[in-house]
Amino acid sequence: MSSVCAAALVAIGADAALAQAPSTSATLARVKERGVLECGANQGVPGFSMPDSQGRWTGFDVDYCRALAAAIFDDPTKVRFSPLSSKDRFIALQSSQIDVLARQTTWTISREISQGIAFTAINYYDGQGFLVRKSLGVKSALEFAGATVCVPQGTTSELNAADYFRTHNIRYQMVAYATVDEVIKAYESGRCDTYTTDMSALAGSRFLMQNPDDHIILPEVISKEPLGPWVRKGDAQWFDIVRWTLFAMIAAEELGITQANVQEMLKSPNPEIRRLLGVDSNYGETLGLTRDWALRIIRHIGNYGESFDRNLGARSRIGLPRGPNRLWNVGGLQYAPPFR
């Protein structure tokens, strides 16, 4: 063998070894040293992220952060939640005040290419709608004429609503507020005719009002709002951990792995189940975690469907249908890449 060929083989071997070796995540190292995950959350939307009277956070996005803490620490309580307004959420992530932003935040090109942050994966497919008082007698957003529109400041909702009204030649007045609480108070006090934001947030916010049954969500869905967790750019391993934590929950639902049966599933002959749970794989170690990282998530939090049902779906007071958030094999869009 020539010296050139030998050198080439050595280089190929080194590249392969480097590709298989776990990289070092500065964010993961800080999280482990700190002993707690810093998670950016909404200021209070029922079903997604809301503290109770004792300060305990619950919700769909909260479950995700607890799943991430479970993967890292085997303890879903090792997470601290920072309630963030729409206008402050990206600053908190950019400045490392938080490790991950899990707060109903839409994936858009302008956000991803200009702010030093990266979207990881879609945990909720949503769209923007309108909430109105029944007494207004409006059945469609096309009936608005000179309407005053309440909207959270610093959101895609402002641009979407402006585009919609201009496209349909509808006169309107936009009023933006810094926090969800301010929007709800303004809407309930009659300072605006409609409150517009993501449909899921409207459904949750309705329950914060004095008389929820006095309000309805109009049928129009005026935008695409793919929501999910965000991280800072520049830490590829942390990006992978945040993304694949969600995929592990989605894959678990597809494979029939639940919080109740996950230990029994360790005995399954199904190769994909065995790879997901770390029986026949070391994906967790490659991520900088442990072999049983996905098992930890499912044991403490459950699969994607379990989290959806208890926070947003049939087992919750919100009662949202799964819709496009059903799994791909039952007519939905939720899809985890293969664990192989």
Side-chain angles (χ1 to χ4, degrees):
M1 181 183 297
S2 70
S3 59
V4 173
C5 289
L9 288 175
V10 169
I12 291 170
D15 287 345
L18 182 61
Q20 294 175 3
S23 57
T24 301
S25 164
T27 306
L28 179 62
R30 285 197 299 271
V31 170
K32 287 182 174 179
E33 182 179 3
R34 188 192 307 129
V36 64
L37 173 74
E38 296 286 359
C39 179
N42 209 308
Q43 292 170 307
V45 175
F48 281 90
S49 59
M50 191 86 179
D52 61 20
S53 57
Q54 281 75 47
R56 175 177 168 77
W57 287 80
T58 58
F60 185 67
D61 289 336
V62 169
D63 270 5
Y64 170 77
C65 289
R66 295 197 188 283
L68 192 53
I72 299 167
F73 299 112
D74 197 18
D75 185 346
T77 68
K78 289 190 174 182
V79 54
R80 190 158 46 218
F81 295 95
S82 295
L84 298 169
S85 68
S86 298
K87 64 183 181 66
D88 295 331
R89 55 187 163 174
F90 298 130
I91 297 172
L93 183 59
Q94 293 159 346
S95 64
S96 299
Q97 176 185 333
I98 56 174
D99 305 308
V100 60
L101 177 65
R103 180 206 175 281
Q104 291 172 291
T105 299
T106 303
W107 186 14
T108 71
I109 184 172
S110 60
R111 287 172 172 174
E112 187 152 52
I113 68 175
S114 63
Q115 301 198 47
I117 57 178
F119 186 84
T120 56
I122 300 171
N123 73 345
Y124 193 93
Y125 290 89
D126 208 348
Q128 185 172 332
F130 297 92
L131 185 73
V132 299
R133 288 176 290 278
K134 290 179 181 177
S135 61
L136 198 62
V138 172
K139 303 299 181 185
S140 167
L142 295 173
E143 298 175 30
F144 288 134
T148 302
V149 183
C150 278
V151 65
Q153 188 178 22
T155 66
T156 56
S157 301
E158 292 181 81
L159 177 61
N160 293 337
D163 287 348
Y164 179 80
F165 289 127
R166 287 169 185 160
T167 298
H168 293 282
N169 295 312
I170 298 172
R171 291 181 296 106
Y172 72 98
Q173 180 182 353
M174 192 86 70
V175 184
Y177 292 91
T179 69
V180 172
D181 282 345
E182 288 176 328
V183 175
I184 292 174
K185 287 176 182 176
Y187 168 75
E188 279 201 286
S189 69
R191 276 180 274 170
C192 46
D193 301 304
T194 182
Y195 167 25
T196 184
T197 190
D198 299 346
M199 299 281 277
S200 61
L202 291 177
S205 295
R206 182 170 161 267
F207 281 92
L208 297 176
M209 298 178 183
Q210 292 182 350
N211 298 296
D213 291 339
D214 291 347
H215 310 271
I216 59 170
I217 297 174
L218 297 178
E220 284 83 5
V221 180
I222 67 170
S223 69
K224 295 179 293 185
E225 304 296 326
L227 309 178
W230 291 73
V231 296
R232 286 178 298 280
K233 287 182 177 178
D235 192 332
Q237 188 185 40
W238 182 246
F239 176 94
D240 288 339
I241 291 170
V242 170
R243 167 189 269 183
W244 285 91
T245 290
L246 174 59
F247 287 156
M249 296 177 73
I250 295 171
E253 182 182 11
E254 181 180 339
L255 293 167
I257 309 172
T258 68
Q259 196 170 17
N261 71 14
V262 63
Q263 291 297 139
E264 187 65 25
M265 282 291 192
L266 289 170
K267 304 171 187 175
S268 171
N270 183 317
E272 193 161 9
I273 290 176
R274 295 175 67 82
R275 287 193 293 268
L276 175 62
L277 298 182
V279 178
D280 294 337
S281 73
N282 67 339
Y283 300 137
E285 292 170 343
T286 304
L287 285 168
L289 304 173
T290 58
R291 290 179 71 97
D292 66 344
W293 67 288
L295 184 147
R296 291 177 171 187
I297 292 168
I298 302 161
R299 183 174 65 230
H300 289 295
I301 305 300
N303 65 38
Y304 177 91
E306 290 178 293
S307 177
F308 189 102
D309 286 347
R310 70 171 166 261
N311 291 299
L312 300 171
R315 293 172 51 200
S316 75
R317 63 174 179 163
I318 310 297
L320 289 173
R322 281 284 290 264
N325 294 293
R326 296 190 301 269
L327 295 180
W328 68 279
N329 55 3
V330 289
L333 297 176
Q334 281 297 355
Y335 191 109
F339 279 74
R340 64 172 181 262

